[in-house]
Amino acid sequence: MKENKIKKAVALGYDIDKDQAPKVVAKGSGALAGNIIKIAEENEIPIKKDEDLVELLSSIDVDKEIPASMYKAVSEIFSFIYDLTTMERKKRELEEKDY
C-alpha cells in the first residue's frame, strides 16, 4: 500500500527594518503548498526541504514571528539561502567578465 503523504509548505519572510524575527508569510498543504512552491520557483526564491521544520513552522499563524525556540533552526535556513545567493551572484559575475 502506497503512503499518502500530504505535501506541506511554509514561506518565511524577514524585514530587517520592521521585524524582530522572521515570520510566516504563507503556509498550506496539498494544492496550496504546491502553489507556494510554484511561486517560489517562479521568483527564484530558494527552497529548503525539511519536513520536520515544516511541521513545526506549520503551527505558527501567518503574519506571526517565529518563537525564540526556533531561531537556531530558522537561522540555518537563512544561512543556506545566503550561501546559495552568494554562489549564484559570484557565478553571474564570472560569466559577465570579459576575458
Side-chain angles (χ1 to χ4, degrees):
M1 183 177 217
K2 212 177 203 184
E3 185 180 342
N4 185 10
K5 214 168 189 187
I6 298 174
K7 186 189 322 185
K8 289 185 178 181
V10 177
L12 298 176
Y14 178 67
D15 183 333
I16 195 166
D17 296 323
K18 295 179 186 176
D19 302 328
Q20 296 292 320
K23 63 181 175 180
V24 173
V25 295
K27 68 178 184 174
S29 60
L32 181 55
N35 286 338
I36 292 168
I37 293 167
K38 180 181 175 190
I39 290 168
E41 291 171 341
E42 289 172 351
N43 290 282
E44 298 181 359
I45 296 170
I47 298 171
K48 172 83 166 125
K49 295 178 183 177
D50 186 326
E51 291 179 22
D52 295 330
L53 187 56
V54 166
E55 281 301 318
L56 290 171
L57 293 171
S58 293
S59 67
I60 301 169
D61 291 334
V62 172
D63 287 330
K64 298 293 181 190
E65 292 181 350
I66 63 162
S69 61
M70 292 186 190
Y71 284 3
K72 184 176 186 310
V74 171
S75 71
E76 291 173 8
I77 292 172
F78 280 95
S79 177
F80 164 81
I81 292 169
Y82 176 80
D83 290 345
L84 279 180
T85 304
T86 301
M87 287 183 346
E88 284 297 317
R89 185 179 49 224
K90 287 180 180 179
K91 181 180 172 186
R92 279 194 300 270
E93 288 172 357
L94 287 173
E95 291 171 350
E96 292 172 358
K97 283 185 177 182
D98 291 331
Y99 288 98

